[in-house]
Amino acid sequence: MSTITERTPATTVTGTPGPRAKKSRFRGYNWFGGSLSWLWLFVVMLPIYWIVITSFKTQDTYFVTNPLAPPTDLTFENYKAVIEADFVRYFFNSVVITVGAVVPAVVVSFMAGYAIVRGAANRTIKAMNWIFLTGLAIPLQAVIIPVYLIIIKLKLYDTLLAIILPSIAFAIPLSVIVLSNFIRDVPKELFESMRMDGASEWGTMWRLAFPLARPALVTVTIYSALNIWNGFLLPLVLTQSPDQRAIPLALANFQGQFGINVPAIAASVTLTTVPIVILYAIGRRQLLSGLTAGFGK
Amino acid sequence: MTTIAPPVVRTKGSSSSSGGRSGSGSVTWMALPAFVWFVLFGIIPLFGVLFLSFTTWNGIGDIEVTGLTSWKAALQDPGLPHALWVTFVIMALSWLVQTPMSILLGTFLATSKRYRELLAVLYFIPLLLSSAAIAITFKALLDPNFGLGAGLGIDALNQDWLGNSTLAIATLIFIVSWQFIPFHTLIYQGAVRQIPTSMYEASQIDGASRMRQFFSITLPQLKYTIITSSTLMVVGSLLFFDLIYLLTGGGPGDSTRTLALEMYQKGFQANLMGPASAIAVILVLVGLVLSLLFRRLGGRADESQLEGV
């Protein structure tokens, strides 16, 4: 228990030398902090536990059994009901929206991030960088009315593309900043040697910077995907028909549709969350490091 | 390869002496796709909302420029000061609950190696869930007839959590804390681990108690982190929409109708896009003033830039 050098998920993306945590200061356990953490963990887990166990109960047993007791006989009826309520279509819509927005957003952000590092002396680039930095502060809610107007003018209202186009834009500023910060740490000599080998900037970008920036690319991909998958306002404002419904909006509708059938509602929440949990399991470290990057100073 | 290499180097070298600028010029276009896209759907709408606030538009028909009509309508509506008030109440209370909790939890996690990894994994779960999923979960959980309180038969838990004005605000603060304390805890945890060990060792030799160390070392060292985290909390709280929309719809009555909700209802439910745009402009201004204020406090531009997270 002397010094803790092990890297936790919260270390920065840039991989600064692992900060040395302080030595354990007292031999005694921090009872206050400890009890608080476990209490909060209980508070955090309780609703999640409840929603998962409830999703496996039948509506009849739900009303008569202890709500915190695990189901005595597992039922998949609720999941069946959710899937029959066109869940697959909504799921597919959300996949199309998320993939359709994240892939272009990450590619153009990577190119911009590369340009910002390589063209640091260029005024146009500097101005663009400033716009991206400032752009972080633009809240989607505040500009939703003009976005709606633009989508109507483009005749895209009530299509998946209507959600994709603004989603790309709002994923760009943070992605550009995270990626450019990462590419900036690539040693200058590597760029120089690529140039000596006669590689163009375009080639250098894809063959040198892209593989090196992989951790940062994973971070921005997961972070943007999470935001877009969970996005509610754009689908709410820009689509109308059930055919174009994304998952968060579908959830709101399930709630109305299932009414007091709490187990079915629980199943819909659980089912929509599974993809995110899988994504989290795959990219947990990158996601955490990306989210907390730069905060630790 | 080696025989061909030298001339390549020479030509490249000679062109780069004059072409330093053309070298950077050639990368400018790489930034263009991202830039153009962001201008189209981010910057233009920002000016667009200012423009629309001087027009009258029902969301479908023609847009008419009508000067200050929409602003007058928006500012004369008693709903606006009320929404501002509700927004600030939620902002202040959620800050007051989240900040001390996150600092305490973060400090504990930073010093407890044994559980850090496990707790960090589990603490993060609420941040993965959509606000829609969280709203629906809590709505079902807190239902006075079918929720947890009713099922357990504990009267203290069986309140009309979302049906009573005061309780609804308190419930909302709780759910917001549930969703975001984990994130801020992780920020504080990272920051506490950056505090030099020597400071604690020195104070320990002087016989400082754990409490004393917390108030004399940990808290002052966390100053900038507190500012960063508070900026994120406060500016973020302006934008709670999904959660409140699905949980209470602004109700009961108008007791949880925040600025963002007021804007949505004006614009997309009452079809008054002009006044709704005026409210959106106010929303942007409030956010801007708040983040500038925090930036002043911290004086570190690089951190306050991250309010979009």
Side-chain angles (χ1 to χ4, degrees):
Chain A
M1 269 308 273
S2 52
T3 47
I4 298 157
T5 43
E6 156 228 272
R7 293 275 215 85
T8 64
T11 43
T12 54
V13 217
T14 44
T16 45
R20 284 171 180 264
K22 55 189 160 293
K23 289 176 181 167
S24 75
R25 295 164 279 164
F26 291 91
R27 256 166 296 160
Y29 182 72
N30 180 353
W31 286 108
F32 180 66
S35 352
L36 198 67
S37 314
W38 292 105
L39 178 75
W40 191 253
L41 183 68
F42 173 76
V43 171
V44 164
M45 295 311 289
L46 184 72
I48 297 168
Y49 168 76
W50 178 79
I51 206 91
V52 173
I53 58 159
T54 302
S55 71
F56 291 108
K57 291 180 177 175
T58 63
Q59 207 181 345
D60 304 333
T61 54
Y62 172 72
F63 288 116
V64 294
T65 56
N66 181 335
L68 290 180
T72 40
D73 39 19
L74 284 176
T75 172
F76 290 92
E77 280 302 310
N78 303 310
Y79 287 93
K80 216 178 127 208
V82 174
I83 287 168
E84 276 166 5
D86 239 359
F87 176 82
V88 176
R89 176 192 289 275
Y90 307 141
F91 185 89
F92 179 73
N93 285 346
S94 271
V95 170
V96 170
I97 292 168
T98 307
V99 175
V102 169
V103 172
V106 170
V107 169
V108 298
S109 299
F110 170 73
M111 287 168 61
Y114 180 85
I116 284 168
V117 173
R118 295 292 287 159
N122 183 307
R123 272 199 189 161
T124 322
I125 295 273
K126 269 188 190 162
M128 288 181 186
N129 193 20
W130 186 82
I131 297 271
F132 289 131
L133 279 170
T134 316
L136 268 184
I138 300 177
L140 179 61
Q141 279 93 332
V143 298
I144 190 69
I145 296 171
V147 166
Y148 168 73
L149 175 62
I150 293 173
I151 292 298
I152 292 181
K153 291 284 174 210
L154 293 174
K155 302 216 182 314
L156 289 172
Y157 181 74
D158 205 20
T159 62
L160 296 184
L161 208 56
I163 303 172
I164 293 174
L165 300 185
S167 294
I168 297 175
F170 280 85
I172 285 175
L174 189 72
S175 306
V176 169
I177 288 156
V178 171
L179 288 168
S180 66
N181 284 341
F182 196 89
I183 299 169
R184 200 164 286 132
D185 288 344
V186 174
K188 295 267 177 300
E189 295 75 30
L190 292 178
F191 288 114
E192 194 57 23
S193 65
M194 284 294 281
R195 202 170 58 81
M196 302 263 238
D197 289 345
S200 61
E201 285 290 352
W202 179 254
T204 311
M205 178 166 74
W206 293 115
R207 292 210 307 272
L208 175 74
F210 194 80
L212 284 176
R214 232 194 83 176
L217 286 164
V218 173
T219 301
V220 296
T221 302
I222 295 178
Y223 184 74
S224 316
L226 191 61
N227 270 339
I228 294 166
W229 181 269
N230 285 339
F232 179 75
L233 187 63
L234 287 175
L236 177 71
V237 169
L238 301 177
T239 64
Q240 191 178 34
S241 57
D243 285 0
Q244 312 295 325
R245 207 173 274 163
I247 277 196
L249 199 58
L251 263 182
N253 280 288
F254 282 144
Q255 191 200 17
Q257 189 180 338
F258 293 135
I260 61 162
N261 188 354
V262 181
I265 293 174
S268 69
V269 171
T270 311
L271 208 54
T272 57
T273 309
V274 168
I276 313 171
V277 172
I278 294 173
L279 204 67
Y280 179 55
I282 298 170
R284 185 174 66 87
R285 268 169 196 283
Q286 276 89 349
L287 181 69
L288 290 183
S289 62
L291 282 173
T292 48
F295 288 119
K297 304 264 164 59
Chain B
M1 268 308 268
T2 39
T3 49
I4 306 167
V8 175
V9 172
R10 210 165 295 138
T11 47
K12 276 282 167 185
S14 61
S15 76
S16 82
S17 59
S18 63
R21 277 162 87 199
S22 78
S24 60
S26 73
V27 296
T28 307
W29 68 268
M30 293 180 184
L32 270 182
F35 181 73
V36 169
W37 208 265
F38 186 64
V39 166
L40 270 179
F41 287 97
I43 305 289
I44 290 177
L46 191 62
F47 290 100
V49 78
L50 188 63
F51 168 74
L52 286 173
S53 71
F54 295 104
T55 66
T56 301
W57 182 39
N58 64 8
I60 307 158
D62 291 331
I63 301 168
E64 281 175 69
V65 180
T66 49
L68 292 172
T69 316
S70 288
W71 274 98
K72 274 188 195 141
L75 294 174
Q76 278 165 1
D77 187 339
L80 180 66
H82 177 76
L84 267 171
W85 169 245
V86 172
T87 307
F88 280 112
V89 167
I90 291 178
M91 183 187 288
L93 290 179
S94 62
W95 184 85
L96 273 175
V97 172
Q98 289 184 78
T99 304
M101 274 296 281
S102 309
I103 293 178
L104 286 173
L105 292 174
T107 309
F108 174 73
L109 278 194
T111 50
S112 154
K113 184 190 176 190
R114 231 187 321 168
Y115 303 115
R116 189 193 299 139
E117 192 78 3
L118 171 75
L119 289 176
V121 173
L122 298 174
Y123 272 6
F124 214 71
I125 296 176
L127 225 65
L128 300 173
L129 310 179
S130 63
S131 295
I134 293 173
I136 287 160
T137 302
F138 276 98
K139 204 168 181 178
L141 189 76
L142 297 172
D143 191 286
N145 298 314
F146 310 109
L148 192 59
L152 287 173
I154 303 170
D155 283 344
L157 279 177
N158 199 11
Q159 311 268 351
D160 194 1
W161 296 105
L162 297 166
N164 164 304
S165 308
T166 320
L167 270 182
I169 295 257
T171 307
L172 215 55
I173 303 290
F174 171 77
I175 298 172
V176 164
S177 308
W178 186 87
Q179 190 175 8
F180 293 111
I181 280 181
F183 174 64
H184 295 280
T185 298
L186 289 174
I187 294 180
Y188 282 116
Q189 184 240 191
V192 170
R193 296 180 71 224
Q194 305 257 353
I195 302 173
T197 324
S198 53
M199 298 183 78
Y200 290 97
E201 288 167 350
S203 75
Q204 198 170 2
I205 293 167
D206 292 344
S209 66
R210 193 202 301 272
M211 194 92 107
R212 186 66 207 267
Q213 285 185 325
F214 178 75
F215 285 105
S216 307
I217 302 173
T218 313
L219 267 190
Q221 288 288 315
L222 287 178
K223 187 188 161 202
Y224 290 112
T225 316
I226 294 175
I227 293 169
T228 307
S229 148
S230 301
T231 312
L232 292 172
M233 271 183 208
V234 163
V235 177
S237 74
L238 276 181
L239 308 173
F240 293 149
F241 174 79
D242 322 5
L243 194 69
I244 304 179
Y245 177 80
L246 289 172
L247 213 49
T248 65
D254 57 2
S255 51
T256 56
R257 195 185 298 156
T258 58
L259 219 48
L261 227 71
E262 175 84 4
M263 181 207 77
Y264 176 81
Q265 288 175 339
K266 268 251 151 59
F268 294 96
Q269 287 173 354
N271 295 326
L272 300 167
M273 292 296 186
S277 299
I279 298 173
V281 173
I282 295 172
L283 194 64
V284 173
L285 290 179
V286 173
L288 208 64
V289 168
L290 284 171
S291 41
L292 285 178
L293 215 68
F294 276 105
R295 198 173 294 185
R296 253 267 152 82
L297 277 176
R300 299 214 316 192
D302 56 328
E303 285 196 342
S304 345
Q305 297 288 5
L306 283 156
E307 61 230 5
V309 182

